[in-house]
Amino acid sequence: MNFDAFKQPHFHKPDLADCELREVVEIAENTHTAPYLIHSSTTGSISQDTRARLPSEEATKKRAQRIRRKKNPRPRAPTCLAELEIEDDDCTSLGGDLMLNIDGTFAS
């Protein structure tokens, strides 16, 4: 059955406060800027309506942390030497491998 004939056009005025709020939340989600800096830098440039709807600094912080963790998860810690990956950048200035003994002294 085709429901396109039943659809009515839906129009309403754009909500400026909602647009400003989305911009602030996107900044918090997509940058590594501290939420308190985002709040302090944006509160002077947004309307009073937006300021009233802005989530608290703590809520913004938690939301940004959740999204950042989802986008950039921490690598799992190796449980054995076979899982340990040492990249080429981890070398001494002399070009040799950087290896330490259990007591923390350099291996020769």
Side-chain angles (χ1 to χ4, degrees), residues 85-99:
E85 293 179 19
I86 300 175
E87 297 185 19
D88 292 336
D89 296 340
D90 299 331
C91 293
T92 63
S93 60
L94 301 174
D97 290 337
L98 177 61
M99 298 297 287

Side-chain angles (χ1 to χ4, degrees), residues 15 26 42 44 50 64 80 86 95 100 103:
D15 186 5
E26 281 181 21
T42 57
T50 306
C80 64
I86 300 175
L100 296 176
D103 62 358

Side-chain angles (χ1 to χ4, degrees), residues 11-106:
F11 298 105
H12 54 84
K13 291 181 184 178
D15 186 5
L16 178 63
D18 192 42
C19 293
E20 289 176 333
L21 184 62
R22 283 185 194 166
E23 285 180 23
V24 172
V25 171
E26 281 181 21
I27 291 170
E29 292 174 354
N30 297 321
T31 65
H32 290 285
T33 306
Y36 76 91
L37 290 174
I38 294 168
H39 272 260
S40 63
S41 66
T42 57
T43 51
S45 62
I46 57 178
S47 66
Q48 183 64 33
D49 291 340
T50 306
R51 247 180 267 141
R53 293 169 55 182
L54 198 63
S56 69
E57 212 172 285
E58 186 65 25
T60 305
K61 177 181 173 182
K62 294 292 183 187
R63 182 176 182 169
Q65 286 174 345
R66 280 193 306 271
I67 290 170
R68 290 171 186 167
R69 259 191 307 240
K70 203 180 287 186
K71 285 183 177 180
N72 302 313
R74 289 185 180 176
R76 192 174 63 84
T79 56
C80 64
L81 282 176
E83 292 178 355
L84 185 63
E85 293 179 19
I86 300 175
E87 297 185 19
D88 292 336
D89 296 340
D90 299 331
C91 293
T92 63
S93 60
L94 301 174
D97 290 337
L98 177 61
M99 298 297 287
L100 296 176
N101 294 321
I102 290 180
D103 62 358
T105 58
F106 288 102

